[in-house]
Amino acid sequence: MGELLYSTIGAAWDLLQKKELSATELTSQCLKRIEATEPKLGALLAIDSEGALAQAKALDDKGPNPSQPLWGVPVTVKDVILTRGLTTTAGSRMLETFVPPYDAFVVERLRQAGAVILGKANMDEFAMGSTTENSAYHAAHNPWDIQRVPGGSSGGSAVSVASGQCFASLGTDTGGSIRQPAALCGCVGMKPTYGRVSRYGVIAYGSSLDQVGPLARSVSDCARVLSVIAGHDQRDATSSPNEVPDYLESLSSVSLKGVRFGLPKEFYGEGLAGDVSEVCAGTIQKLVEAGAERVDVSLPHTHAAIATYYIIAMAEASSNLARYDGVRYGYRSSQITDLESLYVRSRTEGFGQEVRRRIMLGAFVLSSGYYDAYYKKAAQVRRIIRDEYVAALDQCDVLLCPVSPVTAWPLGQHANDPLKMYLMDAYTLSLNLAGLPGLSLPVGKASGLPVGMQIIGKAFAETQLLRIGKAIESVLPNIGCPQL
Ligand code: GLN
């Protein structure tokens, strides 16, 4: 069973369709794996054993259905995505007892496709963080070395996939939160183009940046899940009406011959750790040997991305999180004497330190007198960053760059230094400012820890990214699985 739990959705789905395995058997195996590994990993905030077994039984009773691409496939869902009847906390005390009355669009889609939802994945509170240490409940641990962080904010999703607890997970990526934990845990993760996937029922952090996407153990599995969750939804005004291709179907024959990889020089310079840089260089070499070409490109405003992102993300967060006032939603302090203390105490006690910091900074950059200097300026620089991506992508097919400047670091290392933590996002967050799609792939290991690289494409180039990603996957040795 160990092997089965580390196999791909494609392989498990075939067995399920042929009735060599039942949805109930597979679900039970995953639940056993969860029970055995959770004390070490802390990947999940809610485990819905009963609900999952009931979903699996309902599927088995009806029998396999080839038109359901996730029939009987056990998955987890980041706890920022609403699941009807199953607690959804966004990793915050503020929502500790919140049971959503409806499913997010992406969860409706998972259910229609026959997926079995095992539970809710741990995360940084309101998706603010890069390690999952900001979860109000407990940290998640990297399965390759449990003393190290799994990345974040979708750390629980990456851990659950990398440790064989489930076959895929949904995460959200506002500034790297799918791609970075995927890289640090050795799985594949995709941030789709802004608007490709509906945000309906996803608790908002930075609404102009947030996007839901898959984490899985192969590029094909990511393609399969993306085909399920992508598409127009009139309940999200920013969701795109563009037709959704069959991403999985498009992967039938792939090659690296003649593919032009743009290497932005700003991503390969100072700040990139030597061991990660070596793995990246080795990867580029292998791609060239397989027939790809390298093109030197530049994204000159990369140095401004961190400041720009954190101004915009915090401004949007301060506005989005205003709804948690102790009156309408979530936590209410018991120490209330008047209206003001209701707001102040509920928000002070309900939110963690990082969330409070961001709300205050966000409110500051939006305040009159500072708006022009910070928010407006950041919006202007964001436009420049986007234009530079578009120009760089005109010179090549896709961009290729590291995801994280370092491999997974020890738990607690940057926990008290928010600025150091923000620097860890240097290679991921400009993509969200530009609204473009990115696919993070495991390309090797350094001192036993996974290294990921991302490929970045034009808006709605998901098919191309997945095709090139699959071709890359086929020329690189598999990094194996963590020994737990
Ligand atoms: N680490 C970044 C932040 O803290 C990105 C988080 C995310 O993508 N949700 O904002």
Side-chain angles (χ1 to χ4, degrees):
M1 259 311 169
E3 253 171 52
L4 172 66
L5 294 187
Y6 275 126
S7 70
T8 59
I9 301 179
W13 191 81
D14 285 344
L15 294 175
L16 290 161
Q17 289 294 314
K18 285 190 266 170
K19 288 196 170 187
E20 284 171 28
L21 180 69
S22 71
T24 304
E25 278 162 350
L26 188 57
T27 300
S28 312
Q29 287 302 323
C30 287
L31 289 169
K32 274 197 198 132
R33 176 93 181 140
I34 288 173
E35 204 182 310
T37 54
E38 266 307 271
K40 281 192 242 171
L41 298 177
L44 304 175
L45 292 178
I47 303 166
D48 185 21
S49 310
E50 218 176 286
L53 288 168
Q55 292 168 57
K57 181 169 183 309
L59 290 166
D60 283 330
D61 287 348
K62 279 201 203 138
N65 179 349
S67 69
Q68 288 180 294
L70 297 176
W71 192 95
V73 175
V75 301
T76 63
V77 174
K78 185 179 184 180
D79 207 27
V80 75
I81 299 174
L82 304 196
T83 41
R84 186 157 49 100
L86 183 57
T87 315
T88 299
T89 69
S92 181
R93 292 276 169 220
M94 190 53 99
L95 291 174
E96 193 164 7
T97 56
F98 176 57
V99 180
Y102 64 96
D103 277 331
F105 173 86
V106 289
V107 172
E108 287 173 356
R109 285 289 188 87
L110 286 181
R111 294 195 203 279
Q112 284 160 14
V116 173
I117 298 173
L118 299 171
K120 304 301 293 287
N122 199 0
M123 55 180 286
D124 287 301
E125 185 174 3
F126 286 102
M128 299 176 187
S130 312
T131 60
T132 316
E133 290 164 298
N134 292 342
S135 165
Y137 300 95
H138 50 81
H141 299 249
N142 193 309
W144 295 87
D145 175 351
I146 59 169
Q147 309 298 339
R148 290 175 185 267
V149 300
S153 64
S154 314
S157 292
V159 175
S160 64
V161 169
S163 64
Q165 292 183 345
C166 64
F167 283 78
S169 187
L170 295 186
T172 58
D173 193 313
T174 304
S177 281
I178 291 174
R179 288 162 290 145
Q180 185 256 22
L184 299 191
C185 290
C187 38
V188 183
M190 184 174 222
K191 176 222 163 303
T193 309
Y194 185 76
R196 179 67 298 182
V197 179
S198 167
R199 291 179 294 112
Y200 175 76
V202 180
I203 296 172
Y205 164 16
S207 309
S208 76
L209 304 156
D210 297 342
Q211 193 60 190
V212 180
L215 292 99
R217 283 189 290 267
S218 75
V219 173
S220 301
D221 285 359
C222 265
R224 186 185 287 256
V225 177
L226 185 63
S227 289
V228 168
I229 61 170
H232 182 243
D233 172 19
Q234 60 186 18
R235 296 165 300 182
D236 171 2
T238 62
S239 108
S240 166
N242 285 6
E243 209 176 301
V244 181
D246 184 334
Y247 296 114
L248 186 57
E249 180 74 29
S250 73
L251 300 182
S252 49
S253 66
V254 296
S255 152
L256 286 169
K257 288 241 156 47
V259 175
R260 291 169 307 149
F261 286 99
L263 308 176
K265 69 168 189 268
E266 294 76 9
F267 284 67
Y268 290 92
E270 204 193 329
L272 183 62
D275 55 351
V276 177
S277 167
E278 237 171 73
V279 174
C280 292
T283 305
I284 294 165
Q285 181 63 30
K286 285 193 193 110
L287 304 186
V288 169
E289 281 160 19
E293 287 168 36
R294 43 179 300 172
V295 183
D296 292 324
V297 298
S298 174
L299 297 168
H301 278 77
T302 298
H303 66 276
I306 295 181
T308 306
Y309 167 85
Y310 275 100
I311 290 171
I312 289 173
M314 290 184 193
E316 293 186 9
S318 76
S319 161
N320 276 325
L321 271 58
R323 72 189 72 174
Y324 305 104
D325 55 8
V327 178
R328 288 165 299 174
Y329 284 101
Y331 181 82
R332 179 181 297 174
S333 172
S334 53
Q335 320 264 318
I336 300 167
T337 49
D338 55 10
L339 182 63
E340 188 169 330
S341 71
L342 164 68
Y343 295 147
V344 173
R345 294 205 71 96
S346 300
R347 286 168 69 81
T348 307
E349 294 164 21
F351 290 134
Q353 194 188 32
E354 182 61 24
V355 174
R356 294 200 303 272
R357 175 173 16 250
R358 294 189 186 201
I359 291 172
M360 284 189 279
L361 284 167
F364 173 77
V365 299
L366 290 174
S367 56
S368 70
Y370 295 102
Y371 179 90
D372 284 355
Y374 294 107
Y375 185 77
K376 192 170 163 204
K377 184 59 81 189
Q380 289 165 336
V381 178
R382 177 181 194 171
R383 181 61 198 224
I384 295 173
I385 289 174
R386 195 194 84 99
D387 290 348
E388 286 179 358
Y389 264 101
V390 171
L393 282 161
D394 272 344
Q395 299 165 49
C396 57
D397 294 314
V398 291
L399 302 176
L400 173 68
C401 40
V403 177
S404 169
V406 293
T407 53
W409 57 92
L411 281 151
Q413 182 162 293
H414 304 308
N416 297 316
D417 192 341
L419 278 179
K420 278 239 172 68
M421 194 72 98
Y422 302 164
L423 289 174
M424 293 293 141
D425 301 332
Y427 301 145
T428 50
L429 33 79
S430 52
L431 189 72
N432 302 68
L433 292 170
L436 301 176
L439 177 68
S440 168
L441 297 160
V443 296
K445 282 191 280 189
S447 309
L449 296 170
V451 173
M453 288 185 83
Q454 56 183 332
I455 47 177
I456 291 169
K458 296 194 172 116
F460 299 100
E462 281 82 4
T463 302
Q464 184 196 26
L465 288 186
L466 290 160
R467 284 177 57 80
I468 295 174
K470 171 126 197 235
I472 296 177
E473 193 178 58
S474 67
V475 300
L476 297 179
N478 192 297
I479 66 160
C481 23
Q483 300 301 316
L484 277 163

